[in-house]
Amino acid sequence: MKKADVVKLLLGERADLPPRHCVGKAYAPSNIALCKYWGKRNVELNLPVTSSLSISLASHGASVQLSADDGAEDIICLNGKPLAPTEKFSLRLIDFLQLFRPAQSPRLRIDIETNIPIAAGLASSACGFASLVKALDALYGWELSLNELSILARIGSGSASRSLWHGFVEWHQGDRDDGMDSQAEWLPFEWPELRIGLCILSEQEKNIGSREAMQRTVLTSSLYSAWPSKVSQDMALLKQAIKDRDFTLLGCTAESNALTMHATMLGAWPPVYYALPETVRLMQQIWRCRNEGLPLYFTQDAGPNLKLLFLSRDQAAIEKQFPHIKVIAPFDAC
Ligand code: PMV
């Protein structure tokens, strides 16, 4: 099954209709996985080997405005700057938009505003594709549910399926070949004291994207076979931690999950290693603080940056130790 078949399955006859409005606008938060998505069972549709669980980053994300345009080409502007149609980012975006445009559809002007660095392991593609499918829904007037939009966002980028909501979100792996059951779901739990500290060590584009790294790990790492059972255990522990507001359980599980994911990458060939010397130094500082009694944990995605996990009561002490972090209160927007 191809991406276009999934679109047809979800939209039915709506897939052939032109935009209902002149402009479609939407915002989606970025998200950080506490239990990671690492490995696909279907590369074309971004169907994952396992489920995953994330926390959204409130006002850190992307806004997209799509406007019907009578020019000959699509125009893409990122944070106010026009992008060349030949850039990797533009090609990926246009490729995705093509899935939704019936013949004779107008060209589009696509304005994207984001307040997080692109491609540095801070889930820029997650909020990018999630806001894009929401803006498409607004432009075309499809009136899809958020769960259905999560399926469309997933075919753009797996982690985007979780960026349709604020708060905690679970992406169910599903087992159907067409992926209709591989969608995310909002988890009805709040934790206002939870804080995420972004430690940006490098804003440079990583030298291997998550898509390629994931596939290489699945195909070549002998450690990958241990990953699915680690995920089932961690999913259960994280849900328990969220329900009971047990921060130690949440932090230990998220940190161990991230480190295990990176261990599977080290077992790949050629090996995949996202950490910089600064990343390792920061991990050691976090472990030192924890040994001295500060309840502080981290998680790491496909990039060198770390995201700290802590509670509001320790914010002042943590900002003293890590003066450069950007603190996010994920439940402020809910
Ligand atoms: O959705 P992608 O292809 O950007 O993959 C995301 C992979 C991780 O960020 C490492 C893990 C996750 O679950 O977000």
Side-chain angles (χ1 to χ4, degrees):
M1 179 166 272
K2 294 279 176 216
K3 289 177 183 161
D5 303 321
V6 173
V7 171
K8 187 78 198 155
L9 211 58
L10 264 177
L11 294 179
E13 291 183 350
R14 287 171 290 186
D16 303 319
L17 298 177
R20 204 188 291 172
H21 306 285
C22 299
V23 175
K25 236 173 135 172
Y27 169 79
S30 187
N31 77 76
I32 299 294
L34 299 172
C35 181
K36 309 293 184 188
Y37 145 57
W38 197 249
K40 304 174 206 250
R41 64 187 156 86
N42 177 322
V43 174
E44 163 77 10
L45 302 182
N46 289 336
L47 295 177
V49 172
T50 68
S51 295
S52 56
L53 194 153
S54 62
I55 175 89
S56 288
L57 297 188
S59 59
H60 284 73
S63 297
V64 170
Q65 176 168 310
L66 301 173
S67 334
D69 193 274
D70 44 17
E73 300 286 335
D74 294 317
I75 301 170
I76 304 173
C77 286
L78 179 62
N79 292 336
K81 286 203 201 103
L83 289 186
T86 46
E87 275 197 41
K88 210 164 88 191
F89 181 83
S90 311
L91 292 171
R92 188 166 172 205
L93 197 72
I94 300 295
D95 215 38
F96 184 71
L97 282 174
Q98 269 331 97
L99 292 168
F100 303 97
R101 290 201 287 192
Q104 320 298 330
S105 255
R107 295 297 92 194
L108 291 173
R109 182 187 159 97
I110 305 139
D111 285 289
I112 307 168
E113 295 287 331
T114 179
N115 50 8
I116 52 168
I118 308 282
L122 285 169
S124 53
S125 63
C127 54
F129 282 104
S131 52
L132 197 58
V133 296
K134 280 172 91 177
L136 280 165
D137 187 75
L139 182 77
Y140 281 91
W142 298 325
E143 298 179 357
L144 292 175
S145 68
L146 289 180
N147 299 84
E148 289 168 320
L149 286 175
S150 139
I151 295 179
L152 294 184
R154 190 240 307 138
I155 61 179
S157 167
S159 54
S161 67
R162 301 182 307 237
S163 265
L164 275 302
W165 296 267
H166 288 291
F168 295 112
V169 178
E170 177 176 2
W171 170 17
H172 300 280
Q173 64 192 69
D175 55 19
R176 285 173 57 148
D177 288 342
D178 63 10
M180 287 302 154
D181 55 353
S182 184
Q183 50 177 275
E185 177 195 18
W186 177 70
L187 299 177
F189 296 97
E190 291 209 356
W191 198 338
E193 299 80 18
L194 200 62
R195 294 291 177 270
I196 294 170
L198 300 183
C199 284
I200 313 238
L201 300 168
S202 161
E203 292 202 19
Q204 284 207 334
E205 198 169 328
K206 49 212 179 189
N207 50 21
I208 173 166
S210 55
R211 197 178 173 79
E212 194 187 332
M214 216 180 264
Q215 202 46 15
R216 192 188 293 172
T217 308
V218 172
L219 296 177
T220 69
S221 173
S222 61
L223 301 180
Y224 190 73
S225 58
W227 178 244
S229 67
K230 169 72 177 158
V231 169
S232 347
Q233 271 169 36
D234 288 350
M235 287 294 286
L237 293 172
L238 283 169
K239 285 184 195 169
Q240 193 62 46
I242 291 168
K243 200 163 131 270
D244 299 345
R245 292 197 184 171
D246 179 340
F247 180 68
T248 308
L249 184 59
L250 182 108
C252 291
T253 310
E255 187 173 305
S256 155
N257 184 271
L259 288 169
T260 307
M261 174 183 76
H262 286 277
T264 68
M265 294 182 214
L266 273 177
W269 197 262
V272 179
Y273 192 52
Y274 283 111
L276 293 172
E278 298 89 298
T279 314
V280 179
R281 270 201 294 276
L282 189 59
M283 282 181 192
Q284 284 168 342
Q285 194 185 348
I286 293 166
W287 289 326
R288 221 168 23 246
C289 287
R290 201 155 74 217
N291 285 340
E292 287 164 6
L294 200 55
L296 171 66
Y297 300 85
F298 69 84
T299 182
Q300 181 191 2
D301 289 284
N305 303 308
L306 298 186
K307 293 100 191 188
L308 309 189
L309 301 167
F310 55 93
L311 293 175
S312 52
R313 59 162 193 249
D314 298 311
Q315 184 165 334
I318 284 163
E319 282 180 311
K320 206 165 156 208
Q321 291 284 338
F322 306 88
H324 301 298
I325 60 169
K326 163 123 203 70
V327 179
I328 296 177
F331 288 91
D332 271 8
C334 302

